[in-house]
Amino acid sequence: KFSIVIAGGGSTYTPEIILMLLDNLDRFPLRTIKLYDNDENRQNKLAKACEILIKEKDPSISFVATTNPQIAYTDVDFCLAHIRVGQLPMRELDEKIPLKYSVVGQETCGPGGIAYGMRSIAGVLENIDYMEKYSPNCWMLNYSNPAAIVAEATRRFRPHSRIINICDMPIGMENNMAKIAGLSSRKDMDVRYYGLNHFGWYTSIKDKSGYELLPKISEHVKQYGYVPSQYEYEHAKRDSWFETNLFTREIIKTDPTTIPSSYLKYYLFQDHVVNNSNIEYTRANEVMDTREKEVFSECKKIAEAGHSNGTTLKIGIHAEFIVDLAIALAYNTHERMLLIVENNGAIANLQDDAMVEIPCIVGKDGYEPLSIGNIPLFQKGLIEQQLAVEKLVVEAWAEHSYQKLWQALTLSKTVPSATIAKKILDDFIEVNKDYWPEL
Ligand code: G6P
Ligand code: MN
Protein backbone atom coordinates (compact mmCIF):
# COMPACT_ATOMS: atom_id res chain seq x y z
CA LYS A 1 0.00 0.00 0.00
CA PHE A 2 1.13 3.50 -0.81
CA SER A 3 1.57 6.65 1.18
CA ILE A 4 0.85 9.96 -0.52
CA VAL A 5 1.08 13.63 0.29
CA ILE A 6 -0.95 16.33 -1.44
CA ALA A 7 1.15 19.50 -1.61
CA GLY A 8 -1.18 22.46 -1.75
CA GLY A 9 -3.59 20.72 0.62
CA GLY A 10 -5.65 23.89 0.93
CA SER A 11 -6.60 23.87 -2.75
CA THR A 12 -10.29 23.66 -3.56
CA TYR A 13 -9.38 20.71 -5.77
CA THR A 14 -8.17 18.68 -2.77
CA PRO A 15 -11.52 17.15 -1.72
CA GLU A 16 -12.33 15.97 -5.24
CA ILE A 17 -8.86 14.47 -5.55
CA ILE A 18 -9.32 12.65 -2.25
CA LEU A 19 -12.66 11.31 -3.48
CA MET A 20 -10.99 10.23 -6.69
CA LEU A 21 -8.23 8.44 -4.75
CA LEU A 22 -10.82 6.73 -2.56
CA ASP A 23 -12.71 5.64 -5.66
CA ASN A 24 -9.56 3.99 -7.01
CA LEU A 25 -8.37 2.09 -3.94
CA ASP A 26 -8.81 -1.27 -5.64
CA ARG A 27 -6.20 -0.39 -8.25
CA PHE A 28 -4.17 2.04 -6.14
CA PRO A 29 -4.28 0.94 -2.47
CA LEU A 30 -3.34 3.54 0.12
CA ARG A 31 -2.14 3.40 3.70
CA THR A 32 -1.62 7.13 4.29
CA ILE A 33 -2.99 10.37 2.87
CA LYS A 34 -1.37 13.58 4.03
CA LEU A 35 -2.26 17.16 3.27
CA TYR A 36 0.51 19.71 3.26
CA ASP A 37 0.16 23.46 2.89
CA ASN A 38 1.91 26.51 4.27
CA ASP A 39 -1.47 28.18 4.87
CA GLU A 40 -2.78 26.37 7.92
CA ASN A 41 -5.99 28.31 8.13
CA ARG A 42 -6.97 27.57 4.55
CA GLN A 43 -6.02 23.91 4.76
CA ASN A 44 -8.02 23.53 7.97
CA LYS A 45 -11.15 24.58 6.12
CA LEU A 46 -10.88 21.35 4.16
CA ALA A 47 -8.93 18.96 6.35
CA LYS A 48 -11.66 17.81 8.74
CA ALA A 49 -14.01 17.01 5.87
CA CYS A 50 -11.26 15.13 4.04
CA GLU A 51 -10.58 13.12 7.16
CA ILE A 52 -14.26 12.20 7.45
CA LEU A 53 -14.47 11.21 3.76
CA ILE A 54 -11.44 8.95 4.22
CA LYS A 55 -12.69 7.36 7.45
CA GLU A 56 -16.07 6.63 5.87
CA LYS A 57 -14.45 4.81 2.99
CA ASP A 58 -11.58 3.02 4.71
CA PRO A 59 -10.79 3.60 8.37
CA SER A 60 -7.44 1.85 8.00
CA ILE A 61 -6.02 4.73 5.97
CA SER A 62 -4.23 7.15 8.21
CA PHE A 63 -4.75 10.85 7.63
CA VAL A 64 -2.55 13.81 8.48
CA ALA A 65 -2.94 17.50 7.69
CA THR A 66 0.20 19.44 8.43
CA THR A 67 2.16 22.60 7.74
CA ASN A 68 5.36 20.87 8.79
CA PRO A 69 7.36 19.76 5.72
CA GLN A 70 9.18 17.03 7.61
CA ILE A 71 5.95 15.41 8.72
CA ALA A 72 4.46 15.89 5.25
CA TYR A 73 7.33 14.40 3.29
CA THR A 74 8.53 11.63 5.59
CA ASP A 75 7.66 8.11 4.42
CA VAL A 76 5.75 9.01 1.26
CA ASP A 77 5.76 7.24 -2.12
CA PHE A 78 4.02 9.89 -4.19
CA CYS A 79 3.56 13.61 -3.86
CA LEU A 80 0.67 15.12 -5.80
CA ALA A 81 1.71 18.76 -6.11
CA HIS A 82 -0.74 21.50 -7.01
CA ILE A 83 0.49 24.54 -5.15
CA ARG A 84 -0.67 28.07 -5.96
CA VAL A 85 1.80 30.63 -4.66
CA GLY A 86 -0.09 33.84 -3.91
CA GLN A 87 -3.44 32.06 -4.13
CA LEU A 88 -6.46 33.43 -5.95
CA PRO A 89 -6.06 37.11 -4.97
CA MET A 90 -2.74 37.13 -6.84
CA ARG A 91 -4.36 35.29 -9.75
CA GLU A 92 -6.85 38.11 -9.93
CA LEU A 93 -4.00 40.60 -10.35
CA ASP A 94 -2.29 38.37 -12.93
CA GLU A 95 -5.48 38.57 -14.96
CA LYS A 96 -6.44 42.20 -14.40
CA ILE A 97 -3.14 44.05 -14.77
CA PRO A 98 -2.58 43.01 -18.42
CA LEU A 99 -6.22 43.78 -19.23
CA LYS A 100 -5.59 47.38 -18.12
CA TYR A 101 -3.41 47.61 -21.22
CA SER A 102 -5.79 45.60 -23.41
CA VAL A 103 -3.57 42.54 -23.19
CA VAL A 104 -4.80 39.00 -22.50
CA GLY A 105 -5.44 38.45 -18.78
CA GLN A 106 -5.10 34.73 -18.08
CA GLU A 107 -3.52 32.70 -15.30
CA THR A 108 -1.08 30.67 -17.41
CA CYS A 109 -1.03 32.32 -20.86
CA GLY A 110 0.65 35.65 -21.59
CA PRO A 111 1.76 38.12 -18.90
CA GLY A 112 -0.40 36.55 -16.19
CA GLY A 113 1.39 33.24 -16.63
CA ILE A 114 4.74 35.01 -16.53
CA ALA A 115 3.92 36.73 -13.24
CA TYR A 116 2.57 33.49 -11.79
CA GLY A 117 5.67 31.63 -12.98
CA MET A 118 7.91 34.08 -11.16
CA ARG A 119 5.97 33.25 -7.98
CA SER A 120 5.75 29.50 -8.45
CA ILE A 121 9.33 28.52 -9.17
CA ALA A 122 10.69 28.87 -5.63
CA GLY A 123 7.68 27.08 -4.12
CA VAL A 124 7.99 24.08 -6.41
CA LEU A 125 11.77 23.82 -5.94
CA GLU A 126 11.31 24.02 -2.18
CA ASN A 127 8.87 21.12 -2.27
CA ILE A 128 11.25 19.05 -4.41
CA ASP A 129 13.99 19.67 -1.86
CA TYR A 130 11.80 18.57 1.04
CA MET A 131 10.82 15.47 -0.87
CA GLU A 132 14.44 14.59 -1.65
CA LYS A 133 15.45 15.16 1.94
CA TYR A 134 12.73 13.14 3.64
CA SER A 135 11.66 10.58 1.01
CA PRO A 136 14.34 10.27 -1.66
CA ASN A 137 12.48 7.54 -3.53
CA CYS A 138 9.23 9.46 -3.75
CA TRP A 139 7.84 10.59 -7.12
CA MET A 140 6.42 14.07 -7.42
CA LEU A 141 3.51 14.23 -9.84
CA ASN A 142 3.43 17.93 -10.43
CA TYR A 143 0.56 19.83 -11.93
CA SER A 144 1.32 23.15 -10.28
CA ASN A 145 0.84 25.99 -12.71
CA PRO A 146 2.05 27.61 -14.85
CA ALA A 147 3.21 24.14 -15.79
CA ALA A 148 5.39 25.15 -18.74
CA ILE A 149 7.50 27.62 -16.78
CA VAL A 150 7.58 25.39 -13.72
CA ALA A 151 8.74 22.46 -15.84
CA GLU A 152 11.53 24.54 -17.39
CA ALA A 153 12.63 25.58 -13.90
CA THR A 154 12.74 21.99 -12.69
CA ARG A 155 14.73 20.99 -15.78
CA ARG A 156 17.24 23.78 -15.15
CA PHE A 157 17.61 23.61 -11.40
CA ARG A 158 16.67 20.06 -10.35
CA PRO A 159 17.53 18.02 -13.46
CA HIS A 160 17.85 14.70 -11.63
CA SER A 161 14.84 14.97 -9.37
CA ARG A 162 12.01 12.47 -9.48
CA ILE A 163 9.43 14.94 -10.71
CA ILE A 164 6.98 14.40 -13.54
CA ASN A 165 5.20 17.45 -14.91
CA ILE A 166 1.71 16.81 -16.22
CA CYS A 167 -1.39 18.81 -17.10
CA ASP A 168 -5.05 17.85 -17.15
CA MET A 169 -5.94 19.97 -20.15
CA PRO A 170 -5.38 17.25 -22.79
CA ILE A 171 -7.55 14.93 -20.69
CA GLY A 172 -10.44 17.35 -20.96
CA MET A 173 -9.97 17.70 -24.70
CA GLU A 174 -9.62 13.96 -25.20
CA ASN A 175 -12.77 13.28 -23.20
CA ASN A 176 -14.61 15.58 -25.54
CA MET A 177 -12.99 14.11 -28.63
CA ALA A 178 -13.94 10.61 -27.51
CA LYS A 179 -17.55 11.74 -27.18
CA ILE A 180 -17.43 13.40 -30.58
CA ALA A 181 -16.07 10.18 -32.09
CA GLY A 182 -18.73 8.11 -30.34
CA LEU A 183 -16.29 6.24 -28.10
CA SER A 184 -17.05 5.55 -24.47
CA SER A 185 -13.70 6.69 -23.11
CA ARG A 186 -10.60 8.64 -24.07
CA LYS A 187 -8.75 5.46 -23.22
CA ASP A 188 -10.18 3.94 -26.38
CA MET A 189 -7.92 6.29 -28.35
CA ASP A 190 -4.19 6.49 -29.10
CA VAL A 191 -3.18 10.05 -29.75
CA ARG A 192 -0.23 11.80 -31.27
CA TYR A 193 0.27 15.33 -30.00
CA TYR A 194 3.11 17.78 -29.70
CA GLY A 195 3.73 21.25 -28.36
CA LEU A 196 4.39 23.08 -25.14
CA ASN A 197 2.05 22.97 -22.19
CA HIS A 198 -1.22 24.75 -23.01
CA PHE A 199 0.21 25.21 -26.50
CA GLY A 200 -0.12 22.13 -28.65
CA TRP A 201 -1.64 20.23 -31.54
CA TYR A 202 -3.05 16.72 -32.03
CA THR A 203 -1.87 15.17 -35.27
CA SER A 204 -3.47 11.76 -34.94
CA ILE A 205 -6.31 10.25 -32.94
CA LYS A 206 -6.74 6.56 -33.59
CA ASP A 207 -9.16 4.06 -32.15
CA LYS A 208 -7.81 0.77 -30.84
CA SER A 209 -8.19 -0.90 -34.22
CA GLY A 210 -5.84 1.71 -35.64
CA TYR A 211 -8.52 3.64 -37.52
CA GLU A 212 -7.74 7.35 -37.87
CA LEU A 213 -10.49 9.48 -36.31
CA LEU A 214 -8.91 12.90 -36.73
CA PRO A 215 -10.72 13.93 -39.95
CA LYS A 216 -14.11 13.12 -38.43
CA ILE A 217 -13.33 14.95 -35.18
CA SER A 218 -11.87 17.86 -37.10
CA GLU A 219 -15.07 18.25 -39.15
CA HIS A 220 -17.07 18.36 -35.93
CA VAL A 221 -14.73 20.83 -34.25
CA LYS A 222 -14.93 23.15 -37.25
CA GLN A 223 -18.69 23.36 -36.71
CA TYR A 224 -19.24 23.01 -32.98
CA GLY A 225 -15.86 23.42 -31.32
CA TYR A 226 -15.38 20.81 -28.61
CA VAL A 227 -19.07 20.82 -27.70
CA PRO A 228 -19.62 17.09 -28.11
CA SER A 229 -22.92 17.04 -29.99
CA GLN A 230 -25.15 19.23 -32.08
CA TYR A 231 -27.86 18.84 -29.45
CA GLU A 232 -25.59 20.10 -26.67
CA TYR A 233 -24.46 22.87 -28.95
CA GLU A 234 -27.99 24.06 -29.53
CA HIS A 235 -28.99 23.78 -25.88
CA ALA A 236 -25.74 24.95 -24.30
CA LYS A 237 -25.63 27.72 -21.78
CA ARG A 238 -23.62 30.44 -23.53
CA ASP A 239 -20.98 30.50 -20.79
CA SER A 240 -17.21 30.95 -20.91
CA TRP A 241 -16.66 27.24 -21.57
CA PHE A 242 -18.97 27.45 -24.55
CA GLU A 243 -17.21 30.54 -25.87
CA THR A 244 -13.83 28.86 -25.57
CA ASN A 245 -15.14 25.97 -27.59
CA LEU A 246 -16.35 28.24 -30.30
CA PHE A 247 -12.93 29.82 -30.55
CA THR A 248 -11.54 26.44 -31.42
CA ARG A 249 -13.53 26.65 -34.63
CA GLU A 250 -11.36 29.59 -35.61
CA ILE A 251 -8.09 28.14 -34.35
CA ILE A 252 -8.52 24.95 -36.34
CA LYS A 253 -8.77 26.94 -39.55
CA THR A 254 -5.15 28.01 -39.07
CA ASP A 255 -4.16 24.37 -39.64
CA PRO A 256 -7.04 22.04 -40.49
CA THR A 257 -4.77 18.98 -40.51
CA THR A 258 -4.49 19.15 -36.71
CA ILE A 259 -6.74 19.54 -33.69
CA PRO A 260 -5.41 22.47 -31.68
CA SER A 261 -5.33 23.14 -27.97
CA SER A 262 -8.13 25.57 -27.20
CA TYR A 263 -5.68 27.76 -25.26
CA LEU A 264 -4.09 28.75 -28.57
CA LYS A 265 -6.85 31.32 -28.77
CA TYR A 266 -4.83 33.49 -26.37
CA TYR A 267 -1.97 33.61 -28.84
CA LEU A 268 -3.77 33.54 -32.18
CA PHE A 269 -6.90 35.59 -31.47
CA GLN A 270 -5.66 37.76 -28.63
CA ASP A 271 -7.59 40.85 -29.80
CA HIS A 272 -10.85 38.93 -29.78
CA VAL A 273 -10.09 37.43 -26.37
CA VAL A 274 -9.42 40.86 -24.88
CA ASN A 275 -12.63 42.25 -26.34
CA ASN A 276 -14.53 39.41 -24.70
CA SER A 277 -12.90 39.92 -21.29
CA ASN A 278 -14.30 41.87 -18.39
CA ILE A 279 -11.63 43.59 -16.34
CA GLU A 280 -14.07 43.97 -13.46
CA TYR A 281 -14.77 40.26 -13.29
CA THR A 282 -12.22 37.70 -14.46
CA ARG A 283 -11.92 33.95 -14.04
CA ALA A 284 -10.29 34.44 -10.61
CA ASN A 285 -13.43 36.22 -9.42
CA GLU A 286 -15.60 33.48 -10.86
CA VAL A 287 -13.56 30.80 -9.13
CA MET A 288 -13.62 32.65 -5.79
CA ASP A 289 -17.37 33.25 -6.04
CA THR A 290 -18.32 29.77 -7.12
CA ARG A 291 -15.90 26.86 -6.67
CA GLU A 292 -14.15 28.26 -3.62
CA LYS A 293 -17.36 29.17 -1.79
CA GLU A 294 -19.04 25.87 -2.63
CA VAL A 295 -16.13 23.68 -1.63
CA PHE A 296 -15.48 25.49 1.63
CA SER A 297 -19.15 25.48 2.59
CA GLU A 298 -19.58 21.80 1.73
CA CYS A 299 -16.50 20.95 3.78
CA LYS A 300 -17.83 22.97 6.68
CA LYS A 301 -21.12 21.09 6.51
CA ILE A 302 -19.35 17.74 6.52
CA ALA A 303 -17.10 18.76 9.41
CA GLU A 304 -20.07 19.96 11.49
CA ALA A 305 -22.30 16.99 10.71
CA GLY A 306 -19.50 14.46 11.16
CA HIS A 307 -20.60 12.64 7.99
CA SER A 308 -20.78 13.30 4.26
CA ASN A 309 -24.35 12.17 3.55
CA GLY A 310 -25.92 14.38 0.93
CA THR A 311 -22.76 16.22 0.04
CA THR A 312 -22.48 17.82 -3.37
CA LEU A 313 -18.71 17.24 -3.47
CA LYS A 314 -17.91 15.12 -6.49
CA ILE A 315 -15.11 12.86 -7.60
CA GLY A 316 -12.62 14.80 -9.72
CA ILE A 317 -12.80 12.73 -12.87
CA HIS A 318 -10.25 14.91 -14.60
CA ALA A 319 -7.85 14.13 -11.78
CA GLU A 320 -8.00 10.43 -12.53
CA PHE A 321 -4.97 10.76 -14.78
CA ILE A 322 -2.92 11.36 -11.66
CA VAL A 323 -3.84 7.89 -10.42
CA ASP A 324 -3.10 6.46 -13.86
CA LEU A 325 0.33 8.04 -13.71
CA ALA A 326 1.05 6.82 -10.19
CA ILE A 327 -0.08 3.31 -11.15
CA ALA A 328 2.09 3.33 -14.26
CA LEU A 329 5.10 4.18 -12.10
CA ALA A 330 4.21 1.77 -9.31
CA TYR A 331 3.17 -1.23 -11.40
CA ASN A 332 5.12 -0.68 -14.61
CA THR A 333 2.01 -0.55 -16.81
CA HIS A 334 3.68 1.19 -19.76
CA GLU A 335 0.66 3.40 -20.16
CA ARG A 336 0.92 6.02 -22.86
CA MET A 337 0.42 9.51 -21.43
CA LEU A 338 1.09 13.10 -22.45
CA LEU A 339 3.81 14.51 -20.20
CA ILE A 340 5.91 17.66 -20.16
CA VAL A 341 9.46 16.41 -20.71
CA GLU A 342 12.81 17.49 -22.10
CA ASN A 343 12.71 17.31 -25.89
CA ASN A 344 16.08 15.65 -26.50
CA GLY A 345 15.36 15.06 -30.16
CA ALA A 346 11.75 13.88 -29.87
CA ILE A 347 10.68 16.87 -31.98
CA ALA A 348 13.56 16.62 -34.44
CA ASN A 349 13.66 20.23 -35.59
CA LEU A 350 13.35 21.79 -32.14
CA GLN A 351 16.14 22.45 -29.67
CA ASP A 352 16.99 19.59 -27.30
CA ASP A 353 16.56 21.55 -24.09
CA ALA A 354 12.92 22.52 -24.68
CA MET A 355 10.33 21.22 -22.22
CA VAL A 356 7.72 19.83 -24.60
CA GLU A 357 4.36 18.15 -24.09
CA ILE A 358 4.40 14.85 -25.98
CA PRO A 359 3.24 11.25 -25.57
CA CYS A 360 5.44 9.12 -23.33
CA ILE A 361 5.40 5.51 -22.21
CA VAL A 362 5.38 5.43 -18.41
CA GLY A 363 6.81 2.55 -16.40
CA LYS A 364 8.73 1.76 -13.27
CA ASP A 365 11.81 3.80 -14.12
CA GLY A 366 9.89 6.86 -15.24
CA TYR A 367 9.01 7.79 -18.81
CA GLU A 368 10.25 7.24 -22.33
CA PRO A 369 9.15 9.92 -24.81
CA LEU A 370 7.91 8.91 -28.24
CA SER A 371 9.56 10.33 -31.30
CA ILE A 372 7.58 13.06 -33.08
CA GLY A 373 9.82 13.88 -36.04
CA ASN A 374 9.84 17.23 -37.77
CA ILE A 375 7.05 19.71 -37.19
CA PRO A 376 5.78 22.29 -39.70
CA LEU A 377 7.09 25.84 -39.82
CA PHE A 378 3.90 27.48 -38.51
CA GLN A 379 3.90 25.46 -35.30
CA LYS A 380 7.67 25.57 -35.02
CA GLY A 381 7.72 29.35 -35.21
CA LEU A 382 4.98 29.71 -32.62
CA ILE A 383 6.59 27.18 -30.31
CA GLU A 384 10.05 28.73 -30.54
CA GLN A 385 8.70 32.16 -29.69
CA GLN A 386 6.74 30.87 -26.68
CA LEU A 387 9.64 28.67 -25.60
CA ALA A 388 11.95 31.67 -25.53
CA VAL A 389 9.44 33.48 -23.33
CA GLU A 390 9.37 30.60 -20.87
CA LYS A 391 13.14 30.26 -20.77
CA LEU A 392 13.63 33.99 -20.30
CA VAL A 393 11.27 33.97 -17.32
CA VAL A 394 13.27 31.23 -15.65
CA GLU A 395 16.53 33.04 -16.38
CA ALA A 396 15.08 36.31 -15.11
CA TRP A 397 14.05 34.57 -11.91
CA ALA A 398 17.48 33.00 -11.40
CA GLU A 399 19.47 36.12 -12.29
CA HIS A 400 17.04 38.64 -10.77
CA SER A 401 17.06 40.26 -14.16
CA TYR A 402 14.61 43.05 -14.96
CA GLN A 403 16.02 43.09 -18.48
CA LYS A 404 15.24 39.44 -19.17
CA LEU A 405 11.75 39.63 -17.72
CA TRP A 406 11.04 42.64 -19.88
CA GLN A 407 12.33 40.66 -22.86
CA ALA A 408 10.08 37.77 -21.92
CA LEU A 409 7.00 39.99 -21.81
CA THR A 410 8.02 41.75 -25.01
CA LEU A 411 8.44 38.45 -26.79
CA SER A 412 5.08 37.05 -25.68
CA LYS A 413 2.80 36.90 -28.67
CA THR A 414 0.03 38.30 -26.50
CA VAL A 415 1.87 41.60 -25.93
CA PRO A 416 1.86 44.18 -28.74
CA SER A 417 4.96 46.23 -27.88
CA ALA A 418 7.97 46.63 -25.62
CA THR A 419 6.39 49.79 -24.23
CA ILE A 420 3.31 47.96 -23.05
CA ALA A 421 5.46 45.08 -21.82
CA LYS A 422 7.33 47.53 -19.61
CA LYS A 423 4.16 49.04 -18.17
CA ILE A 424 2.79 45.62 -17.32
CA LEU A 425 6.12 44.59 -15.82
CA ASP A 426 6.34 47.64 -13.59
CA ASP A 427 2.81 47.08 -12.31
CA PHE A 428 3.58 43.42 -11.66
CA ILE A 429 6.75 44.23 -9.74
CA GLU A 430 4.77 46.54 -7.50
CA VAL A 431 2.21 43.90 -6.47
CA ASN A 432 4.54 40.88 -6.39
CA LYS A 433 7.01 42.27 -3.85
CA ASP A 434 6.32 39.49 -1.37
CA TYR A 435 6.78 36.74 -3.96
CA TRP A 436 9.29 37.64 -6.66
CA PRO A 437 13.02 37.93 -6.21
CA GLU A 438 14.05 41.59 -6.27
CA LEU A 439 14.86 42.52 -9.87
C1 G6P B 1 -7.28 23.53 -16.97
C2 G6P B 1 -5.79 23.68 -17.08
C3 G6P B 1 -5.18 24.06 -15.78
C4 G6P B 1 -5.83 25.29 -15.27
C5 G6P B 1 -7.31 25.11 -15.18
C6 G6P B 1 -7.94 26.42 -14.80
O1 G6P B 1 -7.60 22.42 -16.24
O2 G6P B 1 -5.16 22.52 -17.51
O3 G6P B 1 -3.82 24.26 -15.96
O4 G6P B 1 -5.34 25.59 -14.01
O5 G6P B 1 -7.85 24.67 -16.37
O6 G6P B 1 -9.08 26.15 -14.15
P1 G6P B 1 -9.88 27.21 -13.34
O7 G6P B 1 -11.17 26.53 -13.16
O8 G6P B 1 -9.13 27.46 -12.06
O9 G6P B 1 -9.95 28.44 -14.20
MN1 MN C 1 -2.88 22.89 -17.22
Side-chain angles (χ1 to χ4, degrees):
K1 293 193 176 185
F2 301 105
S3 170
I4 65 145
V5 58
I6 299 179
S11 162
T12 50
Y13 285 118
T14 296
E16 65 176 56
I17 287 173
I18 300 245
L19 286 171
M20 184 271 304
L21 291 168
L22 295 173
D23 197 48
N24 281 279
L25 287 174
D26 50 340
R27 48 183 206 130
F28 189 56
L30 297 175
R31 58 189 160 87
T32 311
I33 298 177
K34 305 192 215 190
L35 302 188
Y36 170 58
D37 206 297
N38 57 10
D39 183 341
E40 184 167 24
N41 185 28
R42 189 179 167 99
Q43 180 164 266
N44 280 344
K45 291 184 183 167
L46 309 171
K48 188 72 205 162
C50 291
E51 182 171 16
I52 291 166
L53 293 170
I54 293 166
K55 289 285 164 284
E56 284 176 348
K57 179 81 182 188
D58 182 350
S60 74
I61 298 173
S62 70
F63 174 80
V64 181
T66 182
T67 55
N68 177 325
Q70 180 169 1
I71 296 172
Y73 279 102
T74 298
D75 186 31
V76 283
D77 305 300
F78 294 97
C79 169
L80 317 188
H82 61 185
I83 64 168
R84 181 185 286 284
V85 179
Q87 301 181 353
L88 289 162
M90 289 309 295
R91 174 178 181 176
E92 183 178 2
L93 294 169
D94 293 344
E95 292 169 347
K96 290 187 176 175
I97 286 172
L99 280 173
K100 260 172 63 181
Y101 304 100
S102 296
V103 171
V104 167
Q106 213 275 337
E107 68 156 349
T108 64
C109 301
I114 292 174
Y116 187 11
M118 289 287 287
R119 292 198 303 277
S120 287
I121 294 171
V124 171
L125 297 183
E126 182 184 78
N127 275 276
I128 294 176
D129 293 344
Y130 288 138
M131 173 180 92
E132 293 189 337
K133 181 164 176 200
Y134 298 118
S135 284
N137 291 318
C138 181
W139 280 106
M140 181 177 288
L141 315 183
N142 182 49
Y143 43 110
S144 305
N145 266 328
I149 291 170
V150 165
E152 167 63 9
T154 63
R155 185 196 69 81
R156 281 271 312 252
F157 305 124
R158 299 294 183 276
H160 306 296
S161 61
R162 287 162 70 90
I163 179 169
I164 298 185
N165 294 291
I166 186 164
C167 165
D168 69 332
M169 171 131 202
I171 308 292
M173 291 200 292
E174 286 166 30
N175 282 337
N176 288 331
M177 293 195 289
K179 279 191 207 154
I180 290 168
L183 301 172
S184 55
S185 156
R186 67 177 178 86
K187 295 199 175 181
D188 298 336
M189 312 185 304
D190 287 322
V191 304
R192 291 189 69 77
Y193 171 97
Y194 68 83
L196 308 171
N197 176 242
H198 290 180
F199 201 100
W201 292 262
Y202 288 91
T203 54
S204 168
I205 300 148
K206 288 186 176 162
D207 69 15
K208 289 294 174 185
S209 75
Y211 180 76
E212 182 60 76
L213 300 164
L214 192 135
K216 178 181 171 184
I217 297 171
S218 161
E219 272 315 306
H220 180 98
V221 172
K222 272 181 217 151
Q223 256 185 302
Y224 307 113
Y226 281 123
V227 184
S229 71
Q230 188 179 350
Y231 179 86
E232 281 168 80
Y233 179 84
E234 276 158 13
H235 294 83
K237 216 168 86 217
R238 264 45 185 176
D239 59 6
S240 58
W241 179 79
F242 185 81
E243 288 305 321
T244 295
N245 277 304
L246 291 199
F247 260 106
T248 316
R249 300 190 307 187
E250 302 307 315
I251 305 168
I252 202 168
K253 289 178 196 158
T254 62
D255 180 356
T257 65
T258 65
I259 307 245
S261 155
S262 53
Y263 275 18
L264 286 165
K265 72 175 182 178
Y266 297 116
Y267 303 93
L268 299 176
F269 298 96
Q270 53 278 66
D271 47 354
H272 202 126
V273 169
V274 170
N275 291 338
N276 278 311
S277 303
N278 177 3
I279 190 169
E280 303 298 330
Y281 199 81
T282 59
R283 180 68 189 156
N285 299 112
E286 198 178 324
V287 171
M288 286 187 274
D289 288 348
T290 56
R291 184 167 72 226
E292 196 174 47
K293 285 211 173 99
E294 278 160 30
V295 171
F296 283 150
S297 98
E298 277 305 302
C299 284
K300 192 162 176 244
K301 274 191 224 158
I302 294 173
E304 284 169 4
H307 63 76
S308 74
N309 297 347
T311 184
T312 59
L313 291 177
K314 282 195 279 298
I315 299 172
I317 34 168
H318 275 204
E320 211 183 343
F321 71 99
I322 293 292
V323 170
D324 292 337
L325 178 56
I327 288 174
L329 292 162
Y331 300 118
N332 207 26
T333 62
H334 295 117
E335 179 154 347
R336 180 166 163 164
M337 306 186 80
L338 297 185
L339 303 177
I340 306 160
V341 300
E342 191 161 0
N343 184 36
N344 282 332
I347 300 177
N349 53 350
L350 187 71
Q351 65 199 73
D352 280 347
D353 65 356
M355 288 302 274
V356 292
E357 196 167 69
I358 49 175
C360 299
I361 304 297
V362 187
K364 212 161 190 88
D365 301 319
Y367 50 80
E368 295 171 75
L370 297 184
S371 160
I372 301 293
N374 288 319
I375 60 173
L377 198 49
F378 177 62
Q379 281 84 357
K380 181 171 181 280
L382 287 167
I383 286 176
E384 283 176 339
Q385 180 178 21
Q386 177 61 17
L387 184 63
V389 172
E390 291 159 6
K391 285 185 174 290
L392 280 166
V393 174
V394 174
E395 288 184 11
W397 178 85
E399 297 164 23
H400 300 198
S401 169
Y402 181 99
Q403 187 74 44
K404 285 193 172 174
L405 203 57
W406 183 24
Q407 290 176 346
L409 282 156
T410 302
L411 199 54
S412 173
K413 201 167 178 318
T414 58
V415 177
S417 78
T419 316
I420 290 176
K422 195 164 197 305
K423 287 183 181 160
I424 295 174
L425 176 56
D426 290 338
D427 284 8
F428 272 156
I429 289 174
E430 196 60 39
V431 300
N432 278 285
K433 282 204 179 76
D434 294 343
Y435 303 100
W436 285 11
E438 201 175 325
L439 302 183

